[in-house]
Amino acid sequence: KEKVEITKEQQALMKIITDAYNRHQIPQDVAKKLLQDQYSAEENFLLLTEMATSQVQVLVEFTKNIPGFLSLDREDQIALLKGSAVEAMFLRSAQVFSRKMPSGHTEVLEERIRKSGISEEFITPMFNFYKSIGELHMVQEEQALLTTVTILTPDRPYVKDQQAVERLQETMLDVLRKLCVLQHPQEPQYFARLLGRLTELRTLSHYHTEMLASWRMN
Ligand SMILES: O=C(NC1CCCCC1)[C@H]([C@@H]1CCCCO1)n1c(-c2ccc(Cl)cc2)nc2cc(F)c(Cl)cc21
Protein backbone atom coordinates (compact mmCIF):
# COMPACT_ATOMS: atom_id res chain seq x y z
CA LYS A 1 0.00 0.00 0.00
CA GLU A 2 2.11 2.93 -1.25
CA LYS A 3 1.99 6.10 0.87
CA VAL A 4 0.42 8.80 -1.33
CA GLU A 5 1.95 12.22 -0.70
CA ILE A 6 1.33 15.58 -2.40
CA THR A 7 4.66 17.36 -2.87
CA LYS A 8 5.27 21.01 -1.97
CA GLU A 9 5.19 21.99 -5.66
CA GLN A 10 1.93 20.12 -6.20
CA GLN A 11 0.47 21.85 -3.12
CA ALA A 12 1.47 25.24 -4.57
CA LEU A 13 0.06 24.31 -8.01
CA MET A 14 -3.26 23.24 -6.46
CA LYS A 15 -3.52 26.49 -4.47
CA ILE A 16 -2.89 28.66 -7.57
CA ILE A 17 -5.51 26.79 -9.59
CA THR A 18 -8.14 26.64 -6.82
CA ASP A 19 -7.75 30.33 -5.93
CA ALA A 20 -8.06 31.25 -9.62
CA TYR A 21 -11.10 28.98 -10.00
CA ASN A 22 -12.85 30.54 -6.99
CA ARG A 23 -11.91 34.10 -8.05
CA HIS A 24 -13.47 33.66 -11.46
CA GLN A 25 -17.08 33.04 -10.42
CA ILE A 26 -19.94 34.03 -12.69
CA PRO A 27 -20.75 37.72 -11.91
CA GLN A 28 -24.43 37.57 -10.96
CA ASP A 29 -25.53 34.28 -9.46
CA VAL A 30 -27.76 32.63 -12.08
CA ALA A 31 -29.20 30.17 -9.55
CA LYS A 32 -30.44 33.06 -7.39
CA LYS A 33 -32.10 34.67 -10.44
CA LEU A 34 -33.84 31.43 -11.38
CA LEU A 35 -35.05 30.88 -7.80
CA GLN A 36 -36.34 34.46 -7.53
CA ASP A 37 -38.37 34.68 -10.74
CA GLN A 38 -40.02 32.47 -13.31
CA TYR A 39 -38.87 33.42 -16.81
CA SER A 40 -40.38 32.81 -20.25
CA ALA A 41 -38.61 30.48 -22.69
CA GLU A 42 -37.25 33.53 -24.54
CA GLU A 43 -35.93 35.10 -21.33
CA ASN A 44 -34.36 31.79 -20.27
CA PHE A 45 -32.69 31.47 -23.66
CA LEU A 46 -31.34 35.00 -23.33
CA LEU A 47 -30.17 34.30 -19.77
CA LEU A 48 -28.35 31.18 -20.97
CA THR A 49 -26.58 33.05 -23.79
CA GLU A 50 -25.57 35.86 -21.42
CA MET A 51 -24.30 33.37 -18.83
CA ALA A 52 -22.47 31.27 -21.40
CA THR A 53 -20.82 34.38 -22.86
CA SER A 54 -19.64 35.65 -19.47
CA GLN A 55 -18.50 32.10 -18.65
CA VAL A 56 -16.20 32.13 -21.70
CA GLN A 57 -14.58 35.36 -20.48
CA VAL A 58 -14.23 33.81 -17.02
CA LEU A 59 -12.65 30.72 -18.61
CA VAL A 60 -10.06 32.78 -20.51
CA GLU A 61 -9.05 34.57 -17.30
CA PHE A 62 -8.93 31.25 -15.42
CA THR A 63 -6.64 29.58 -17.99
CA LYS A 64 -4.14 32.44 -17.66
CA ASN A 65 -3.56 31.19 -14.11
CA ILE A 66 -2.89 27.58 -15.11
CA PRO A 67 0.90 27.26 -14.72
CA GLY A 68 2.36 26.48 -18.14
CA PHE A 69 -0.75 27.35 -20.17
CA LEU A 70 0.62 30.68 -21.42
CA SER A 71 3.85 28.91 -22.47
CA LEU A 72 1.85 26.81 -24.96
CA ASP A 73 1.71 27.84 -28.62
CA ARG A 74 -0.76 30.77 -28.79
CA GLU A 75 -2.93 29.14 -31.45
CA ASP A 76 -3.03 25.97 -29.36
CA GLN A 77 -4.21 28.02 -26.37
CA ILE A 78 -7.14 29.24 -28.48
CA ALA A 79 -7.86 25.73 -29.80
CA LEU A 80 -7.98 24.41 -26.21
CA LEU A 81 -10.33 27.21 -25.09
CA LYS A 82 -12.65 26.78 -28.06
CA GLY A 83 -12.61 23.00 -27.67
CA SER A 84 -13.46 23.03 -23.96
CA ALA A 85 -15.79 26.02 -23.57
CA VAL A 86 -19.06 24.03 -23.86
CA GLU A 87 -17.80 21.25 -21.58
CA ALA A 88 -16.61 23.81 -19.02
CA MET A 89 -20.02 25.49 -19.19
CA PHE A 90 -21.89 22.22 -18.50
CA LEU A 91 -19.39 21.30 -15.78
CA ARG A 92 -19.92 24.67 -14.10
CA SER A 93 -23.71 24.31 -14.49
CA ALA A 94 -23.48 20.90 -12.80
CA GLN A 95 -21.39 22.32 -9.98
CA VAL A 96 -23.82 25.21 -9.48
CA PHE A 97 -26.74 22.75 -9.52
CA SER A 98 -25.02 20.46 -6.98
CA ARG A 99 -24.27 23.24 -4.47
CA LYS A 100 -25.78 22.73 -1.02
CA MET A 101 -28.96 24.86 -0.99
CA PRO A 102 -31.71 25.43 1.61
CA SER A 103 -34.17 22.51 1.50
CA GLY A 104 -36.57 22.67 -1.42
CA HIS A 105 -34.43 25.09 -3.44
CA THR A 106 -32.78 22.43 -5.62
CA GLU A 107 -36.21 21.03 -6.50
CA VAL A 108 -37.46 24.49 -7.52
CA LEU A 109 -34.28 25.09 -9.52
CA GLU A 110 -34.65 21.74 -11.28
CA GLU A 111 -38.31 22.44 -12.08
CA ARG A 112 -37.48 25.89 -13.51
CA ILE A 113 -34.72 24.47 -15.70
CA ARG A 114 -36.94 21.57 -16.86
CA LYS A 115 -39.53 24.16 -17.93
CA SER A 116 -37.02 26.68 -19.30
CA GLY A 117 -37.53 25.77 -22.95
CA ILE A 118 -35.09 22.89 -23.32
CA SER A 119 -36.48 20.08 -25.50
CA GLU A 120 -37.69 17.04 -23.55
CA GLU A 121 -35.15 14.65 -25.08
CA PHE A 122 -32.19 16.55 -23.55
CA ILE A 123 -33.60 17.02 -20.04
CA THR A 124 -32.86 13.45 -18.86
CA PRO A 125 -29.22 13.19 -20.03
CA MET A 126 -28.53 16.68 -18.68
CA PHE A 127 -29.92 16.04 -15.20
CA ASN A 128 -28.38 12.55 -15.13
CA PHE A 129 -25.04 14.28 -15.61
CA TYR A 130 -25.78 16.97 -13.00
CA LYS A 131 -26.80 14.34 -10.45
CA SER A 132 -23.78 12.14 -11.17
CA ILE A 133 -21.54 15.16 -10.55
CA GLY A 134 -23.47 15.96 -7.35
CA GLU A 135 -23.04 12.40 -6.04
CA LEU A 136 -19.25 12.83 -6.16
CA HIS A 137 -19.37 15.57 -3.48
CA MET A 138 -16.21 17.10 -4.93
CA VAL A 139 -14.19 19.50 -2.79
CA GLN A 140 -13.37 22.81 -4.48
CA GLU A 141 -9.79 21.70 -5.28
CA GLU A 142 -11.17 18.68 -7.15
CA GLN A 143 -13.65 20.89 -9.03
CA ALA A 144 -10.91 23.32 -10.05
CA LEU A 145 -8.54 20.52 -11.12
CA LEU A 146 -11.27 18.68 -13.02
CA THR A 147 -12.03 21.84 -15.03
CA THR A 148 -8.29 22.28 -15.63
CA VAL A 149 -7.95 18.67 -16.86
CA THR A 150 -10.93 19.26 -19.19
CA ILE A 151 -9.32 22.38 -20.66
CA LEU A 152 -5.98 20.58 -21.13
CA THR A 153 -7.41 17.84 -23.38
CA PRO A 154 -4.71 17.16 -26.02
CA ASP A 155 -7.01 15.79 -28.76
CA ARG A 156 -9.09 18.92 -29.32
CA PRO A 157 -9.47 19.92 -32.99
CA TYR A 158 -6.56 21.97 -34.47
CA VAL A 159 -4.15 21.44 -31.56
CA LYS A 160 -0.66 21.27 -33.17
CA ASP A 161 1.67 20.41 -30.26
CA GLN A 162 -0.42 17.70 -28.55
CA GLN A 163 2.61 16.43 -26.59
CA ALA A 164 3.01 19.79 -24.82
CA VAL A 165 -0.68 19.75 -23.80
CA GLU A 166 -0.40 16.09 -22.75
CA ARG A 167 2.57 16.90 -20.46
CA LEU A 168 0.56 19.68 -18.77
CA GLN A 169 -2.54 17.53 -18.43
CA GLU A 170 -0.46 14.67 -16.94
CA THR A 171 0.88 17.08 -14.30
CA MET A 172 -2.67 18.05 -13.32
CA LEU A 173 -3.95 14.46 -13.41
CA ASP A 174 -1.17 13.39 -11.04
CA VAL A 175 -2.18 16.01 -8.46
CA LEU A 176 -5.89 15.18 -8.92
CA ARG A 177 -5.25 11.45 -8.51
CA LYS A 178 -3.35 11.99 -5.22
CA LEU A 179 -5.99 14.45 -3.97
CA CYS A 180 -8.76 11.90 -4.66
CA VAL A 181 -6.89 9.18 -2.73
CA LEU A 182 -6.35 11.54 0.22
CA GLN A 183 -9.88 13.05 0.18
CA HIS A 184 -11.75 9.76 -0.39
CA PRO A 185 -9.66 7.02 1.29
CA GLN A 186 -12.72 4.73 1.51
CA GLU A 187 -13.23 4.89 -2.26
CA PRO A 188 -10.12 3.67 -4.13
CA GLN A 189 -12.04 3.91 -7.45
CA TYR A 190 -13.10 7.55 -6.85
CA PHE A 191 -10.49 9.00 -9.25
CA ALA A 192 -11.64 6.63 -12.01
CA ARG A 193 -15.27 7.65 -11.37
CA LEU A 194 -14.27 11.29 -11.63
CA LEU A 195 -12.59 10.75 -15.02
CA GLY A 196 -15.63 8.75 -16.14
CA ARG A 197 -17.70 11.93 -15.70
CA LEU A 198 -15.51 13.60 -18.37
CA THR A 199 -16.72 11.03 -20.89
CA GLU A 200 -20.35 11.76 -19.93
CA LEU A 201 -19.55 15.49 -20.19
CA ARG A 202 -18.21 15.12 -23.72
CA THR A 203 -21.35 13.23 -24.79
CA LEU A 204 -23.63 15.87 -23.26
CA SER A 205 -21.65 18.62 -25.00
CA HIS A 206 -22.29 16.97 -28.38
CA TYR A 207 -26.01 17.80 -27.82
CA HIS A 208 -25.32 21.48 -27.13
CA THR A 209 -25.93 22.89 -30.62
CA GLU A 210 -29.13 20.87 -30.98
CA MET A 211 -30.28 21.90 -27.48
CA LEU A 212 -30.08 25.54 -28.51
CA ALA A 213 -31.59 24.98 -31.98
CA SER A 214 -34.59 23.11 -30.52
CA TRP A 215 -35.33 25.59 -27.72
CA ARG A 216 -39.11 25.71 -27.48
CA MET A 217 -40.00 29.41 -27.93
CA ASN A 218 -43.67 30.33 -27.47
O1 LIG B 1 -27.37 29.70 -17.52
C1 LIG B 1 -27.17 28.52 -17.37
N1 LIG B 1 -26.01 27.99 -16.90
C2 LIG B 1 -24.87 28.81 -16.56
C3 LIG B 1 -23.83 28.71 -17.68
C4 LIG B 1 -22.54 29.39 -17.30
C5 LIG B 1 -21.99 28.88 -15.98
C6 LIG B 1 -23.03 29.04 -14.86
C7 LIG B 1 -24.33 28.33 -15.21
C8 LIG B 1 -28.21 27.54 -17.80
C9 LIG B 1 -29.60 28.10 -18.05
C10 LIG B 1 -30.21 28.88 -16.95
C11 LIG B 1 -31.62 29.38 -17.46
C12 LIG B 1 -32.48 28.26 -17.90
C13 LIG B 1 -31.75 27.40 -18.90
O2 LIG B 1 -30.47 27.00 -18.34
N2 LIG B 1 -28.19 26.33 -16.96
C14 LIG B 1 -28.11 25.11 -17.52
C15 LIG B 1 -28.07 24.82 -18.96
C16 LIG B 1 -26.87 24.93 -19.64
C17 LIG B 1 -26.83 24.68 -21.01
C18 LIG B 1 -28.00 24.33 -21.68
CL1 LIG B 1 -27.94 24.03 -23.40
C19 LIG B 1 -29.20 24.23 -21.00
C20 LIG B 1 -29.25 24.48 -19.62
N3 LIG B 1 -28.08 24.17 -16.56
C21 LIG B 1 -28.12 24.82 -15.37
C22 LIG B 1 -28.10 24.33 -14.07
C23 LIG B 1 -28.17 25.21 -13.01
F1 LIG B 1 -28.15 24.76 -11.74
C24 LIG B 1 -28.24 26.60 -13.25
CL2 LIG B 1 -28.29 27.66 -11.92
C25 LIG B 1 -28.25 27.10 -14.57
C26 LIG B 1 -28.20 26.20 -15.60
Side-chain angles (χ1 to χ4, degrees):
K1 192 118 174 60
E2 105 276 7
K3 173 99 184 65
V4 163
E5 203 174 301
I6 292 183
T7 66
K8 281 265 164 291
E9 304 80 34
Q10 289 179 320
Q11 197 80 40
L13 182 69
M14 199 160 50
K15 181 160 175 27
I16 291 167
I17 286 172
T18 307
D19 291 350
Y21 190 73
N22 290 336
R23 239 192 345 266
H24 298 123
Q25 290 285 356
I26 297 293
Q28 67 277 13
D29 187 17
V30 55
K32 203 181 290 143
K33 281 175 97 103
L34 285 172
L35 287 163
Q36 263 160 359
D37 298 306
Q38 212 141 353
Y39 297 105
S40 70
E42 287 80 358
E43 288 164 333
N44 276 313
F45 191 81
L46 195 67
L47 180 59
L48 169 58
T49 44
E50 280 163 14
M51 287 295 133
T53 307
S54 73
Q55 158 78 6
V56 167
Q57 284 143 20
V58 160
L59 202 67
V60 171
E61 285 317 304
F62 171 64
T63 53
K64 286 177 183 169
N65 295 282
I66 299 173
F69 186 85
L70 294 177
S71 318
L72 293 171
D73 172 280
R74 189 136 318 252
E75 283 170 3
D76 284 355
Q77 293 176 30
I78 294 165
L80 293 177
L81 276 162
K82 288 178 82 162
S84 63
V86 171
E87 289 179 21
M89 187 270 296
F90 275 119
L91 193 50
R92 176 65 91 173
S93 296
Q95 285 160 357
V96 171
F97 185 75
S98 313
R99 261 187 223 150
K100 186 91 191 77
M101 278 184 260
S103 80
H105 284 216
T106 303
E107 289 71 15
V108 170
L109 187 58
E110 176 164 351
E111 192 50 26
R112 296 251 160 107
I113 294 164
R114 281 180 181 280
K115 298 266 180 297
S116 63
I118 306 171
S119 290
E120 275 308 301
E121 66 196 288
F122 303 117
I123 298 274
T124 307
M126 193 174 79
F127 279 107
N128 285 349
F129 176 69
Y130 291 175
K131 286 170 183 166
S132 68
I133 287 289
E135 280 157 13
L136 289 168
H137 299 106
M138 279 187 267
V139 297
Q140 57 175 3
E141 290 81 357
E142 288 166 334
Q143 291 189 12
L145 282 166
L146 192 65
T147 298
T148 305
V149 164
T150 303
I151 294 163
L152 296 172
T153 301
D155 63 344
R156 296 293 185 199
Y158 314 114
V159 170
K160 296 171 295 189
D161 188 353
Q162 292 202 0
Q163 264 74 23
V165 181
E166 210 155 319
R167 274 195 299 276
L168 265 185
Q169 191 191 47
E170 284 297 318
T171 307
M172 306 300 164
L173 281 167
D174 193 40
V175 187
L176 183 54
R177 181 181 52 76
K178 290 182 176 179
L179 186 65
C180 288
V181 169
L182 295 171
Q183 288 287 341
H184 311 268
Q186 321 306 334
E187 271 194 270
Q189 81 291 355
Y190 183 91
F191 178 60
R193 268 177 71 200
L194 204 50
L195 296 190
R197 299 284 76 83
L198 294 186
T199 312
E200 215 181 321
L201 177 60
R202 196 173 281 210
T203 308
L204 183 63
S205 302
H206 289 323
Y207 299 143
H208 179 246
T209 309
E210 223 186 309
M211 287 170 88
L212 300 181
S214 62
W215 206 271
R216 284 196 322 285
M217 306 292 183
N218 304 324

